[in-house]
Each structure stands twice: as C-alpha cells, then as structure tokens.
Amino acid sequence: MESHINFHEMNIDDRILKAIANQGWTEPTLVQEHGIPLLLEGKDMLVRARTGSGKTAAFVIPVIQKILEFKDINADTYCTQALILAPSKELCNQIFKNILQLTIKCSRDVKCVDISDQIDMKEQQPLLNIPPDVIVATPARALLHLQGKNMTLKKLQTLVVDEADLVFSFGFEEEIKEVIKFLPKTYQAVLASATLSEDVMALKKLLLRNAVILKLQEPDLAPLSQLTHYKLNAEEEDKAVILYCIFKLKLVKGKTIVFVNSVDKCYKLKLFLEQFGVHTCVLNSELPASCRCHTINQFNDNIYDIILASDEKFLDEEHEITSTSTNKRKHDKEFSIARGIDFQFVSIVINFDFPQDIYSYIHRVGRTARGKNKGTAISFLNIKELNLLKDVEDYIKQGISEENDIFQDFNFKLEEVEGFRYRAKDAWRAVTKIAVREARLKEIKSEMLNSKKLKRYFQENPRDLLSLRHDKALHTVKLQDHMSDVPDYMVPTSLKEYIKTQEEEDKGIKKKDKAYYKKKQVGYKKYHAKKTNPLVGMEYTGLKKM
C-alpha cells in the first residue's frame, strides 16, 4: 500500500502548520503532497493539475516557508523575495487572500501586497515603499511598477506564474518578456496550469531551468463518487420554468452558480427570477473589476447564494474585439468566469446553457466538488445540445472503468407543476430585449458610480460596504408582489410534506447559524457548508422524467 506524506512531515514551520489546521485541511491533496517537498528543495517546476486540486497552496506554502527561513537569519532586511503573477485581477485577489490565510500566525514576519487593481500607480506606491516580501500582480501591472521604479526584484528568490496556460492567451506575452529583464540571474520559477498547452511550453522555455514536470495522473474532474452529473432535456422556455421551480420549491439546496453562454442571457434570467422574489447576482466581463471581486467575496461570505455567470469565449473573441470596429462592446481580457476563480463551498453548478466545448464543461463544473467537498452538476439540454453532451460524456469516460452513463436523469415532470409553468412563461416573455439592455446599462452605471465616488468612504467604513449588495432587483420589468408567493394549491401534493419539513429545518439552521456565527466568525463558512445537503431534491421521487 502506497504511503502518504502529511503536512507535519514536510519540515514546514509550525506557524504555517497552525494556519493549515485553522483552514481545516487534515491532509494534503495530491498536488500538495508531491509538489511542496520538491519546491522546498529549490527545484524549478511545471505543475499540471486539475481545477480545484489545491495548486495555489502547493506553491504558496513553500514561498512562505522560504521567507520565514530568510527572516530567521536576516530579521532587519527588507526585500521582495517572491513575485506571483496571474492573468486576472480576480485570481490575484484570490491568491492574495490565500496568502493572508496561510500567514495568519506569522503576519508580522511575512508582508504581502496585491497590486493588480487598475488604479493610479501613485495610490499603490506607498505599499511598495518598504519592499513587501511577496508581491501579487498581473504581468501588465507588475511591469508598470518595475518601469516606474516603484519596486525592485534584485533579491527575488521565487517567481510563480499561476494559470500559465492563460497568460499568453490573455495577451501578456510581451509583458512577461519585459518583466524577465528585471529578474536576477538566479531564482526559482514555478508554472502552475490546468493544461499543458503550447503556450505553457513556450513559457517553460522562457522561465524554467532543468525543471521538474509534475503531471499528476488524475482525471480532469473530481471522481463520480464526489461529483454527480445530472441531465435534463428541455427547450428554452421550459428551462426557465424548471429553474423557477427548482429555486422556489427548494429542490436544490446550497450555494449555486448558474452558467449561461452570453451576457444578455445573464440579465434575462436575473429579471425573470426577480419577478418571483428569487434574489441573484450577475457576474460577467462588462462589470468593473472591483464589482466582480466584491461579488465573489460576498458570495463566498454567504451574503447571497445564487450567481448567474456568463461563460463567454474570451480567449477566442479577444483578438477580434481589439482589431475590429470600436462600436463592439469591449470585454475585460483579464477576466474569465470559468477559470481559476475560487468560489468557495459551491454545492450546485447548473448549466442553463450547455457549454460549447468539453473544456468549458470541465472548468464550469470544476467550481464545485473542490478539495474533499462533494458537489453536483445539473445540465439543461435542448435538442441542438445533445451532441455536445455525448462528446463530454465520452471524454469523461476515458481512463475510468465506468460502464454506466456518466449523466444521470434529473427527474422532473412539468405536468405536475402546471401552475408554475403558466406563471413562468408569462414572466419569461415579459423580459424583452429592451428591458435587458436597460438592466445592463443600469447595473454598470450603478457599479461605476459606487466604485469611484464611494471608494474612500467604504475604506473608512468597511461595514457599510456590506450594504452594497449585488443581488438587488433591477426593476426594469414590472414586479407584482403576489408573484413571489407560492400558494399551497400550486405545490404538487407529493411535495407538500417535503416543503413543510424543509421550512422547519431552515428555521432551525438559521437560528444555529446565527448563534454559531456570533460565537466563532472564522468557522462560519465551514459550518454552513456542512449543514447544507448539496441536492436535497434527489431524495424526492415524485417529479419524474419528462
């Protein structure tokens, strides 16, 4: 039987071990078990591991360890020892938070700053006056500060490039080449990626010397025992009816991300659901970066439970957008919903629109079943999307001895919820193209106003930042109060007892959550995750296949 190495057997500083314990990590993931010892030996490394496998901690822990060892000998020396580059502001923000979590017991000894925000460089300059131990940035932002002589990397020990397969795709090739000119002759380099593309190999030649390639023999997705896949055949309007029923009848429970294939569909769904009192927030490339980061943070902090995300083809569209006429909407190239962003404790991923390729499916459903947590993916399919499903199923079956179908049927019969269907179809048709356009303009203007004029106020009054919720109704479609209620006659007979039980359980959980949160705020997210069953609706068999 193969023996496994635990964190305490890796010669890691006690302060880091305490922070790891504080995160509730009982044992390292596969990439952490193999990667951390090699990085502590000082080897250059190319790490290929699937989404949600713990890649970030695999390179952050050795970085912190080396800094602590340096500080033990050179306590009064201030220099930047690690530069971590990521292709988006959201990923930089996530890495920065992970570093803060892992340095909670040594925050006085390890200083980290995130300079990825696209604000005036003069505002960030004070953060760099005393060189921080770790700098997190996008390649473009790091280059600007280096050229402006706001920071120096002469004593750099470690360079990390996260999501390396996206760096060139996002247009950062020239910035990377320029940043290299500011690096010392010798340093340890780490490339972390979900795939080993041609771009990654090009980066490898630029940055790595005699590198170890850590290509773990693991599937791209969590195993079927951890991640359950469901499918449901439905056309466009019926998809909306089913989504409405799922949320109002609480057939799914837990934090949910609903993926669609366009920004317009995001807002159409939001306007549709808000007519029934279902609060959601939208995440897409057209919103300001600060708004996107804040949305993700509030979702992770359990302020709301449903995100509507547009998984656009940024990598394919980017060159077209920048080279064609200026009348086209310009997307932020440093943003992609499906890649790398850490949505924490997601129970359900719903593909309202089925993804257009295999890898998009993998990265979407990779938002759930992360680490050791279980998760569920539900895919709605119209007749045009059935071929895409077969391609995904064939890909997942590769390398596993699974005779049964990967996708189970999500049991649902529209005839049993005819009242919901009548309401939903009227509400869906009420969301016109004009309403969607007005909603998009209204939200973007609102967020830009908040980010510019209230920024300093929120810095001085952080509690008031919570009042800036992203799941508020947009009010571009007429709302009727009675629509948010579900009369008893509309609930299928077989579900009435179940709904009653769920309401009683929710009341009890909310009381416990409140008491627990007051007692121990740090543990709230873990407690909440344990108390929510990823898919309670699967215990109910009254709704049958269409």
Side-chain angles (χ1 to χ4, degrees), residues 149-174:
K149 298 182 179 179
N150 293 336
M151 67 185 199
T152 178
L153 303 175
K154 291 180 180 179
K155 295 185 178 181
L156 190 79
Q157 289 191 32
T158 309
L159 171 69
V160 178
V161 181
D162 195 16
E163 296 295 343
D165 53 335
L166 296 185
V167 169
F168 280 9
S169 298
F170 276 36
F172 289 126
E173 182 175 359
E174 292 305 317

Side-chain angles (χ1 to χ4, degrees), residues 87-100:
S88 73
K89 294 175 281 290
E90 289 79 12
L91 279 171
C92 288
N93 185 257
Q94 172 187 314
I95 293 166
F96 175 68
K97 286 192 170 184
N98 288 340
I99 293 172
L100 293 184

Side-chain angles (χ1 to χ4, degrees), residues 89 114-127 138 140-141 144-145 150 289-290 334 451-452 455-456 459:
K89 294 175 281 290
D114 175 9
I115 57 171
S116 62
D117 288 339
Q118 291 182 335
I119 59 177
D120 193 319
M121 289 176 61
K122 291 180 180 178
E123 292 185 39
Q124 291 179 334
Q125 191 173 356
L127 297 173
T138 60
R141 202 65 185 170
L144 282 175
H145 281 285
N150 293 336
S290 58
E334 296 183 2
S451 64
K452 288 182 179 178
K455 182 178 179 181
R456 183 160 294 179
Q459 287 175 342

Side-chain angles (χ1 to χ4, degrees), residues 302 345 508-517 520-532:
N302 300 303
F345 301 112
I509 288 173
K510 283 179 182 178
K511 288 180 181 178
K512 291 179 181 179
D513 276 354
K514 209 169 186 180
Y516 189 89
Y517 185 58
K520 188 178 180 182
Q521 291 188 353
V522 176
Y524 176 77
K525 286 183 284 188
K526 294 173 190 174
Y527 172 81
H528 184 77
K530 289 177 183 176
K531 288 292 181 183
T532 56

